[in-house]
Amino acid sequence: MQKKAARERSSRLLNSSITDSYIEIGKILKPHGLKGEVKILLYNKSSRVLQDDIPVKLKNDRGLSGDFRIEMIRYGSSKVIIKFFELSSIDDADTLRESTIWVQKELLPLLDNDEYYLLDLVGMSVFSDKDEFIGCVKNVLSYPANDVIVLDYKENEILIPAVDEFIKLIDFEKKCLTINVIDGLLDG
């Protein structure tokens, strides 16, 4: 989330890949131990939205898609370990390797009036500070240095850093975003 004036950046962001009612928040890296536990990567390392006994959806490129329920989760300083009720062996856990983890939007923490999730930017129209239409927000990616807005511009994918130098105004009523266009920014 960020302040509406795009002045303060926070680490409570959840990844912005979305479906109608679920949000992708991480992925399974590999099995952990022999009893069906998995090591996961949360896109937002400070997020605690995953808790014991909540349902999640898992999806992967091999066609796996299913509903799972968290039996136990352990947050460590460098890793997060999850045990699902549906898994009981290392072989079960290995089938989920590289699966993405999706959680219901309703499970996300409530925000203050002047805050929003970056995924709320997806679909917004993007204009230059000279009021020229540039494109629409396709996605928002989270990187250690800063978040990045992905948009389509003249059939190219353009990455705009989500920092005050570039993001000048976010208007949720009009569903538009105004950016500062510097030389080379739209060159792709």
Side-chain angles (χ1 to χ4, degrees):
M1 69 188 148
Q2 296 181 350
K3 296 291 180 184
K4 284 186 180 174
R7 297 288 180 235
E8 295 181 26
R9 193 171 170 281
S10 171
S11 63
R12 287 181 63 189
L13 161 76
L14 296 176
N15 192 44
S16 60
S17 299
I18 61 174
T19 63
D20 290 340
S21 60
Y22 283 82
I23 296 171
E24 183 181 346
I25 63 165
K27 71 177 181 178
I28 294 174
L29 298 174
K30 62 182 183 177
H32 178 82
L34 302 174
K35 298 181 180 181
E37 295 178 333
V38 291
K39 181 178 178 181
I40 68 165
L41 167 71
L42 288 175
Y43 299 138
N44 174 6
K45 290 178 177 35
S46 66
S47 174
R48 295 294 186 262
V49 69
L50 293 178
Q51 297 295 323
D52 293 353
D53 206 37
I54 69 161
V56 297
K57 285 195 179 293
L58 301 179
K59 299 178 184 179
N60 69 25
D61 294 339
R62 298 178 307 276
L64 171 77
S65 178
D67 296 324
F68 291 79
R69 185 169 289 278
I70 296 174
E71 181 176 344
M72 178 277 310
I73 186 164
R74 291 191 312 266
Y75 289 96
S77 60
S78 64
K79 62 184 173 183
V80 179
I81 306 297
I82 291 182
K83 170 73 173 85
F84 294 105
F85 283 106
E86 295 79 6
L87 305 179
S88 59
S89 73
I90 190 171
D91 293 331
D92 292 344
D94 197 44
T95 64
L96 298 177
R97 186 184 297 262
E98 297 299 314
S99 295
T100 54
I101 303 168
W102 298 69
V103 68
Q104 292 177 332
K105 286 182 185 178
E106 297 82 45
L107 296 176
L108 298 177
L110 296 176
L111 302 175
D112 293 334
N113 289 336
D114 61 347
E115 298 174 326
Y116 63 91
Y117 287 109
L118 287 177
L119 63 93
D120 294 335
L121 301 178
V122 174
M124 282 191 168
S125 298
V126 179
F127 293 88
S128 74
D129 47 359
K130 294 180 176 116
D131 207 30
E132 300 169 274
F133 177 74
I134 296 172
C136 291
V137 177
K138 182 177 167 182
N139 200 352
V140 182
L141 306 173
S142 186
Y143 292 109
N146 56 267
D147 300 312
V148 175
I149 295 170
V150 180
L151 60 105
D152 286 324
Y153 174 71
K154 295 183 179 178
E155 299 182 22
N156 290 317
E157 192 172 78
I158 302 295
L159 305 178
I160 310 289
V163 296
D164 291 344
E165 181 181 346
F166 296 104
I167 309 300
K168 294 302 172 192
L169 177 68
I170 300 171
D171 188 331
F172 284 96
E173 288 180 21
K174 294 180 181 176
K175 297 187 185 276
C176 68
L177 182 70
T178 302
I179 65 171
N180 179 26
V181 179
I182 63 171
D183 288 339
L185 183 67
L186 302 178
D187 292 342

